[in-house]
Amino acid sequence: MKSSILLLAAIIVFSLSEKASADYVPEIVFQNVYVQSNLCYVQSIADISNTCSFFSYRFKFDTSTSQGKAMLSVVLMAKALNKKISVWYNKSSAVGTNETNGCTTATMAEATGVAIN
């Protein structure tokens, strides 16, 4: 019983720490949107906290899911209207790096939500 309670407590702490690692950036201007192999990459020259820069691409998301398709629709609409976007994301595993010293498509920040401003 005691081990079950400890396991449950560990799961709750892990879940809370996962939520705490999510970030948000309001009103970014983005230059390009690139889609390849069910992944969309959003380019911004702005220095955005907890991201890395892969040729100025800061965020990625999976376009094969319904959520990813909806986010792609929002991003493309914002681009067409020349609007800024807000992005909710999980931080990069190579924060502060670029393509020459550690940032890859695998280590980029992953967008979990977008909005047109």
Side-chain angles (χ1 to χ4, degrees), residues 18-19 45 60 63 78 83 93 114:
E18 284 296 302
K19 295 288 185 197
I45 58 171
K60 67 178 180 183
T63 59
K83 295 283 191 174
S93 59
V114 295

Side-chain angles (χ1 to χ4, degrees), residues 29-93:
V29 175
F30 62 98
Q31 284 69 40
N32 294 306
V33 178
Y34 175 67
V35 179
Q36 180 183 27
S37 301
N38 292 328
L39 286 175
C40 178
Y41 303 95
V42 178
Q43 186 180 46
S44 173
I45 58 171
D47 187 21
I48 299 169
S49 66
N50 292 323
T51 66
C52 66
S53 175
F54 188 70
F55 298 98
S56 297
Y57 288 90
R58 299 289 183 163
F59 306 104
K60 67 178 180 183
F61 58 88
D62 184 353
T63 59
S64 68
T65 66
S66 58
Q67 179 183 5
K69 290 174 185 173
M71 288 194 299
L72 180 59
S73 177
V74 170
V75 167
L76 293 176
M77 180 64 73
K79 186 67 175 169
L81 296 173
N82 200 28
K83 295 283 191 174
K84 295 178 181 180
I85 60 171
S86 296
V87 181
W88 290 262
Y89 61 98
N90 292 324
K91 70 180 187 177
S92 165
S93 59

Side-chain angles (χ1 to χ4, degrees), residues 95-115:
V95 172
T97 63
N98 62 35
E99 67 281 352
T100 65
N101 62 3
C103 187
T104 68
T105 56
T107 63
M108 291 175 66
E110 188 163 355
T112 58
V114 295

